[in-house]
Amino acid sequence: MKDILSAPFMEEMVRTTANMYRHGWDERNGGNISLMLDQEQVLAYLGGQVLRTIPTGFSAPELEGKYFLVTGTGKYFKNVEYAPQTNLGLVRLTEGGTQAQLLWGFSDGGSFTSEFPAHMMSHVARQKANPANRVVMHCHPVNLLAMTYVHSLDERAFTRTLWQMCTECIVVFPEGVNVLPWMLCGTNEIGRATAEKMSTARLVVWAQHGIYGAGRDLDETFGLIETAEKAAEVYMKIAHLPWINTITDEQLHLLEKRFNVQARPGFLD
């Protein structure tokens, strides 16, 4: 049996959590990631022995039998690279998603992130929208967080501002961003609300909290959030200044044509 710590998906998870911490997106135990894996990937490294079973607190029959590598509750991203077996866990959902069989990790007796229900509900939504999406990532990027205090939370307005900050934004997330007002985190209620928003966009901003991103792999999802955060950083640096120039809707339409993307209907004039 191969060493799971040498698995490409494990190495990438370790690199990603380290990068997110160094970007300042995941202070203390803030933030969480879940990566959907194929059975073939898992069985190449694990024999399928169940270490223990953890109730999930929700139902997701669409994810029956699915495997997930996920960050742990109360765990610090900065420690993942030094002790992945403690800070990460690999689980298989059973009983209609109400139970998670721990196959590896959480070696100190820990469990998956408290946002696990929100992640799984978002996975269900993204699988319906695009079956290639296999990552859900939550973090607290400083500028996107700050932007929710000073900018309208209207999704069209929020998206247009981000598109106007950096030329690449409409190319990277042409569907825009969805926004939720402040809600209590770690609950099924915010999980359901996030999943609903995930049905139409891969980025969901949690006002005064952070962001959820989804994508095909860890690189794409990280880059998606990174691009939106860069745009928010530009906005926070110029929001109080008179704007002499901007990227116009006409120019955004040119970017659509040049890069063969379709902006979210109704978001451009």
Side-chain angles (χ1 to χ4, degrees), residues 194-257:
T194 304
E196 182 179 353
K197 295 291 187 182
M198 276 284 183
S199 66
T200 55
R202 293 168 295 152
L203 288 172
V204 179
V205 172
W206 284 6
Q208 294 84 50
H209 185 145
I211 194 168
Y212 258 62
R216 293 172 298 180
D217 53 36
L218 290 164
D219 258 0
E220 180 183 75
T221 313
F222 181 96
L224 186 65
I225 294 173
E226 189 175 35
T227 304
E229 168 66 359
K230 171 62 74 65
E233 180 179 6
V234 174
Y235 174 76
M236 292 305 298
K237 287 182 176 180
I238 67 170
H240 63 293
L241 301 172
W243 292 15
I244 299 173
N245 305 298
T246 191
I247 302 175
T248 67
D249 279 22
E250 181 181 4
Q251 291 167 332
L252 290 170
H253 282 304
L254 289 175
L255 287 166
E256 284 184 288
K257 294 176 183 177

Side-chain angles (χ1 to χ4, degrees), residues 70-232:
V70 61
T71 52
T73 184
K75 302 304 184 185
Y76 292 26
F77 271 28
K78 72 182 183 68
N79 294 332
V80 173
E81 62 183 320
Y82 306 111
Q85 71 281 0
T86 301
N87 296 285
L88 302 174
L90 202 159
V91 301
R92 177 176 57 215
L93 295 189
T94 62
E95 304 296 327
T98 62
Q99 302 291 322
Q101 296 176 331
L102 180 65
L103 307 180
W104 173 89
F106 301 145
S107 59
D108 62 349
S111 184
F112 39 68
T113 169
S114 63
E115 303 290 356
F116 193 68
H119 275 249
M120 296 302 107
M121 294 174 192
S122 290
H123 275 290
V124 171
R126 289 312 305 168
Q127 284 286 293
K128 291 177 181 176
N130 182 353
N133 283 183
R134 303 175 70 82
V135 173
V136 172
M137 184 179 290
H138 170 57
C139 56
H140 308 152
V142 175
N143 294 286
L144 280 164
L145 175 58
M147 191 172 165
T148 66
Y149 285 89
V150 299
H151 193 285
S152 162
L153 298 183
D154 175 79
E155 290 169 346
R156 182 179 187 270
F158 205 94
T159 292
R160 285 170 61 84
T161 294
L162 294 177
W163 283 348
Q164 290 169 345
M165 294 302 102
C166 300
T167 296
E168 66 178 344
C169 285
I170 196 170
V171 179
V172 175
F173 50 96
E175 74 274 30
V177 300
N178 286 334
V179 184
L180 283 176
W182 188 93
M183 296 180 68
L184 183 63
C185 58
T187 66
N188 286 3
E189 286 73 23
I190 197 170
R192 285 190 286 268
T194 304
E196 182 179 353
K197 295 291 187 182
M198 276 284 183
S199 66
T200 55
R202 293 168 295 152
L203 288 172
V204 179
V205 172
W206 284 6
Q208 294 84 50
H209 185 145
I211 194 168
Y212 258 62
R216 293 172 298 180
D217 53 36
L218 290 164
D219 258 0
E220 180 183 75
T221 313
F222 181 96
L224 186 65
I225 294 173
E226 189 175 35
T227 304
E229 168 66 359
K230 171 62 74 65

